[in-house]
Amino acid sequence: PPSPVPPITLTVEEKKPLATRAAALLVAGREALQRNDEVTARTELSDALQLGVGGTEEEFLRTELTRLGKETVLSPRIVSGDPLVDRYVIQPGDVLAKIAALNKVSPDLLASINGIADKHRIREGQTIKIVKGPFRAVVTKRAYTLDVYLGDTFVRHFRVGLGADDSTPTGEWRVATKLMNPTYYPPRGGEIIAADDPKNPLGERWIGLVGVSGAAVDQERYGIHGTSDPESIGKSVSMGCIRMRNEDVEALYTYVVETHSTVIVRD
């Protein structure tokens, strides 16, 4: 099997410029928030989070960025000058699935943010908000977290459960399949559990992954799914897959798309 990608270790001196840069971005982001410049604040705070801050500052960043993500990306609002979204006027012959595919997002997401009750029925001449995808996710194993990004912009944060005995491989994965109400086929044999059975450990969603690099390369047995045991979130008890609370994986399911969305798993 492939060897895991070795972690990048920085010396104290190498970390100092990053910490200084993160602190400056944090200040700039706070100032942008004070003047109600949501797009600039979102960019500065996202960059600060990715460079690395700690303690209460990290908690502040996640809280504010989640709020900004919901209000600027995952809502009907369009903030002037926002590069992540746009307006689109429905043309004759358009279908929401085609519009979504051109923007590398799901039709469910566009339906949700535009208040469209039936994603198969849209009206010619209607103006909708589009999001410029794809979304991607970053799983940090030591923290049991999954962060959702749109490009380099942080959007959502979730808690996850991971594989027992460090069995969730690190590296880059690509979203290969998405299934609603999946049937459970035990990877080591045993009882097949039907969709919607309360005993089904996968919950209501399955996001199948294919490994691209690192220890994940060429792996095809792993995925992200819901759980019938919410107490397992924040623990390492699965057979290697990434598990989420059912309501959380339902949200993630609307963000990621097959082929284009990626998931990075890091220690």
Side-chain angles (χ1 to χ4, degrees):
S3 301
V5 177
I8 298 173
T9 303
L10 300 177
T11 66
V12 173
E13 291 302 314
E14 289 172 325
K15 289 179 180 178
K16 284 182 179 179
L18 296 180
T20 300
R21 176 62 177 155
L25 288 165
L26 184 57
V27 170
R30 287 181 182 273
E31 291 175 346
L33 284 175
Q34 290 177 349
R35 63 176 184 269
N36 202 33
D37 184 348
E38 294 171 297
V39 172
T40 299
R42 196 182 61 193
T43 300
E44 305 285 12
L45 297 180
S46 287
D47 289 348
L49 181 64
Q50 292 188 77
L51 284 177
V53 297
T56 57
E57 290 180 339
E58 181 174 352
E59 183 179 351
F60 164 77
L61 287 174
R62 289 185 184 279
T63 299
E64 283 302 305
L65 285 167
T66 297
R67 179 184 65 81
L68 288 168
K70 288 180 178 178
E71 293 181 2
T72 64
V73 176
L74 304 174
S75 79
R77 288 181 60 219
I78 297 179
V79 179
S80 178
D82 189 343
L84 302 182
V85 303
D86 208 345
R87 289 183 175 84
Y88 179 78
V89 179
I90 304 298
Q91 301 298 307
D94 271 344
V95 293
L96 200 60
K98 178 182 176 181
I99 298 168
L102 289 172
N103 289 282
K104 298 185 173 81
V105 295
S106 74
D108 291 317
L109 175 74
L110 295 186
S112 174
I113 64 177
N114 288 286
I116 297 173
D118 183 349
K119 64 183 178 182
H120 302 293
R121 298 180 63 184
I122 53 178
R123 186 179 71 255
E124 179 183 338
Q126 178 182 4
T127 300
I128 63 171
K129 175 181 178 177
I130 58 171
V131 177
K132 301 175 184 179
F135 288 86
R136 62 185 180 89
V138 177
V139 174
T140 303
K141 293 173 68 173
R142 66 180 179 275
Y144 295 96
T145 58
L146 183 150
D147 294 332
V148 180
Y149 289 84
L150 184 58
D152 292 326
T153 300
F154 179 100
V155 177
R156 289 290 305 271
H157 169 70
F158 301 106
R159 294 276 291 165
V160 298
L162 299 169
D165 302 318
D166 199 30
S167 58
T168 302
T170 57
E172 181 178 358
W173 303 80
R174 176 176 54 82
V175 173
T177 57
K178 293 171 59 180
L179 296 174
M180 296 182 67
N181 301 323
T183 298
Y184 177 63
Y185 297 92
R188 298 171 189 170
E191 178 188 3
I192 296 173
I193 304 177
D196 295 323
D197 187 318
K199 296 185 297 181
N200 189 320
L202 301 182
E204 299 295 320
R205 300 289 187 276
W206 167 262
I207 301 170
L209 304 175
V210 171
V212 175
S213 67
V217 70
D218 294 331
Q219 298 277 6
E220 297 182 352
R221 299 180 296 110
Y222 297 86
I224 304 172
H225 59 79
T227 180
S228 57
D229 180 16
E231 295 300 316
S232 66
I233 301 302
K235 301 176 184 177
S236 296
V237 295
S238 78
M239 293 185 184
C241 289
I242 300 163
R243 59 176 62 178
M244 304 175 70
R245 292 183 176 88
N246 289 328
E247 62 270 24
D248 292 346
V249 76
E250 287 176 16
L252 181 66
Y253 191 93
T254 68
Y255 305 150
V256 298
V257 293
E258 296 166 347
T259 303
H260 300 294
S261 289
T262 59
V263 178
I264 298 291
V265 178
R266 63 189 185 187
D267 290 323

